[in-house]
């Protein structure tokens, strides 16, 4: 999930430069990187198990870069690093290529359950937004949470949408892992990842940044309304 984009939803502000840079990093390390490593190693004659294991290195690098950039391990960093570590451990223990593909689906399902489990307190979308914002913007997000029922509903709704989306992704990934030819699974599930997360991100931006909703959040938090920039 692109936390910067979701943070922009929360604040109603644009930061096109940093957001686009992080988006390119995300796509490079989580989409193009694993594909390049996997199919490059397979073309070089490396075994399936090792190629799959090595393809997890770019997403791990992305998680580490996120922690280094933020100079602390926030909610998103803990979640990502935990899932990467768990997946690597399970892969080493089983040694089954199909299980290695399927475990990504099971892990996505765990993340989806974690999302939904946070609804009783501060939902994880809010925690992610808070962890990737800094200074005055973080204080603004905290003020929105404390003062605006509309903002709290938005954070909970987005958490539900992402949680359900991740659970759907989990089921499809596991099914594909055990039905597709093994060398096709990485490509197909990566394309599925792009479609799902692009859809969730677009929904989050468009739903969260509706002018009437942003105006209500500002009014409830005692902030003067501002003219929205064009998206």
């Amino acid at each position: 999930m692109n936390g910067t984009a979701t943070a922009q939803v929360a604040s109603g502000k644009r930061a096109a430069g940093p957001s686009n840079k992080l988006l390119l990093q995300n796509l490079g390390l989580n989409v193009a990187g694993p594909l390049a490593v996997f199919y490059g190693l397979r073309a070089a004659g490396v075994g399936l198990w090792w190629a799959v294991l090595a393809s997890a290195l770019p997403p791990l690098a992305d998680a580490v870069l996120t922690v280094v950039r933020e100079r602390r391990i926030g909610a998103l960093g803990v979640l990502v690093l935990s899932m990467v570590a768990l997946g690597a451990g399970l892969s080493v223990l089983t040694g089954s290529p199909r299980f290695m593909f399927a475990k990504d689906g099971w892990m996505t399902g765990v993340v989806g359950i974690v999302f939904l489990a946070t609804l009783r307190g501060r939902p994880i979308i809010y925690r992610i937004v808070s962890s990737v914002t800094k200074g005055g913007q973080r204080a603004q997000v905290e003020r929105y949470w404390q003062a605006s029922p509309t903002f709290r509903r938005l954070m909970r709704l987005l958490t539900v949408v992402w949680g359900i989306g991740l659970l759907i992704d989990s089921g499809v990934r596991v099914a594909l892992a055990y039905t597709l030819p093994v060398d096709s699974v990485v490509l197909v599930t990566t394309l599925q990842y792009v479609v799902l997360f692009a859809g969730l991100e677009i929904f989050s931006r468009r739903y969260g940044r509706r002018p009437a909703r942003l105006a209500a959040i500002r009014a409830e938090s005692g902030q003067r309304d501002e003219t929205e920039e064009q998206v």
Side-chain angles (χ1 to χ4, degrees), residues 66-67 70-80 127-128 131-132:
T66 299
V67 172
E70 299 300 326
R71 297 182 180 178
R72 64 192 181 91
I73 302 180
L76 183 58
V78 170
L79 188 61
V80 171
R127 298 181 192 182
I128 292 172
S131 71
V132 300

Side-chain angles (χ1 to χ4, degrees), residues 25 38 41 47 59 71 73-74 83 93 111 117 131 146 148 161 172 179:
Q25 175 185 305
F38 177 79
L41 291 176
R71 297 182 180 178
I73 302 180
M83 291 298 100
L93 287 174
V111 174
S131 71
Q146 295 292 341
S148 173
V161 170
V172 174
T179 56

Side-chain angles (χ1 to χ4, degrees), residues 31-87:
V31 179
L35 286 176
V37 170
F38 177 79
Y39 288 109
L41 291 176
R42 291 294 284 155
V46 175
L48 181 64
W49 190 85
W50 286 108
V52 175
L53 193 60
S55 69
L57 292 178
L60 176 60
D62 182 52
V64 172
L65 285 173
T66 299
V67 172
V68 171
R69 183 174 60 246
E70 299 300 326
R71 297 182 180 178
R72 64 192 181 91
I73 302 180
L76 183 58
V78 170
L79 188 61
V80 171
L81 291 174
S82 298
M83 291 298 100
V84 171
L86 177 61

Side-chain angles (χ1 to χ4, degrees), residues 188-223:
V188 174
T189 55
T190 299
L191 294 175
Q192 175 196 334
Y193 167 89
V194 172
V195 171
L196 173 73
F197 280 80
L200 290 173
E201 195 70 68
I202 290 170
F203 172 81
S204 298
R205 291 187 185 216
R206 292 189 174 179
Y207 185 84
R209 293 177 65 181
R210 288 179 180 174
R213 182 169 294 107
L214 293 175
I217 292 171
R218 291 196 181 99
E220 291 166 355
S221 62
Q223 180 179 339

Side-chain angles (χ1 to χ4, degrees), residues 89-228:
L90 291 174
S91 298
V92 171
L93 287 174
T94 63
S96 166
R98 293 231 179 241
F99 177 83
M100 290 173 68
F101 291 130
K103 58 91 179 168
D104 290 335
W106 293 118
M107 289 166 56
T108 303
V110 170
V111 174
I113 292 171
V114 169
F115 270 55
L116 297 176
T118 64
L119 289 171
R120 296 188 65 180
R122 295 195 174 195
I124 198 167
I125 291 292
Y126 168 77
R127 298 181 192 182
I128 292 172
V129 168
S130 180
S131 71
V132 300
T133 53
K134 298 179 181 180
Q137 192 177 36
R138 179 178 295 165
Q140 182 184 62
V141 169
E142 174 65 23
R143 184 168 64 251
Y144 285 167
W145 176 263
Q146 295 292 341
S148 173
T150 301
F151 181 77
R152 292 193 293 270
R153 285 194 298 271
L154 173 63
M155 294 293 99
R156 291 192 172 100
L157 175 64
L158 292 181
T159 298
V160 169
V161 170
W162 278 84
I164 292 175
L166 291 169
L167 290 176
I168 293 172
D169 175 79
S170 172
V172 174
R173 279 176 181 265
V174 172
L176 293 176
Y178 287 106
T179 56
L180 290 177
V182 287
D183 279 318
S184 300
V185 175
V186 173
L187 177 60
V188 174
T189 55
T190 299
L191 294 175
Q192 175 196 334
Y193 167 89
V194 172
V195 171
L196 173 73
F197 280 80
L200 290 173
E201 195 70 68
I202 290 170
F203 172 81
S204 298
R205 291 187 185 216
R206 292 189 174 179
Y207 185 84
R209 293 177 65 181
R210 288 179 180 174
R213 182 169 294 107
L214 293 175
I217 292 171
R218 291 196 181 99
E220 291 166 355
S221 62
Q223 180 179 339
R224 186 178 63 184
D225 196 10
E226 299 173 356
T227 302
E228 286 297 307

